[in-house]
Amino acid sequence: MKATGLVEVVRSLEHHDSVELALDAAIEAGLIDERQRASYASGLEALAGSEIIEARPVAEVPA
């Protein structure tokens, strides 16, 4: 992955309850712009479709 913002969002996924919250945090941190949200969501969906990342069951979400 060459997009620095996307790499940071992927790294942060384990710290958030959802992709939406991870994207919110990335926007708040200035890593991505709100206008890029849909593109980043699509990028994450593509990574999941390629099995580079995978969804975790809700029961595994850290408290």
Side-chain angles (χ1 to χ4, degrees), residues 6-62:
L6 186 57
V7 171
E8 293 304 319
V9 172
V10 169
R11 287 182 179 156
S12 76
L13 286 172
E14 69 178 309
H15 303 291
H16 300 283
D17 291 340
S18 69
V19 167
E20 292 301 317
L21 291 174
L23 290 172
D24 288 344
I27 291 166
E28 284 185 35
L31 296 173
I32 64 172
D33 187 278
E34 176 66 41
R35 295 172 293 185
Q36 298 172 301
R37 181 186 208 92
S39 295
Y40 277 82
S42 294
L44 291 168
E45 187 175 332
L47 290 173
S50 299
E51 298 181 354
I52 294 172
I53 62 173
E54 60 184 45
R56 64 177 175 226
V58 175
E60 290 183 20
V61 174

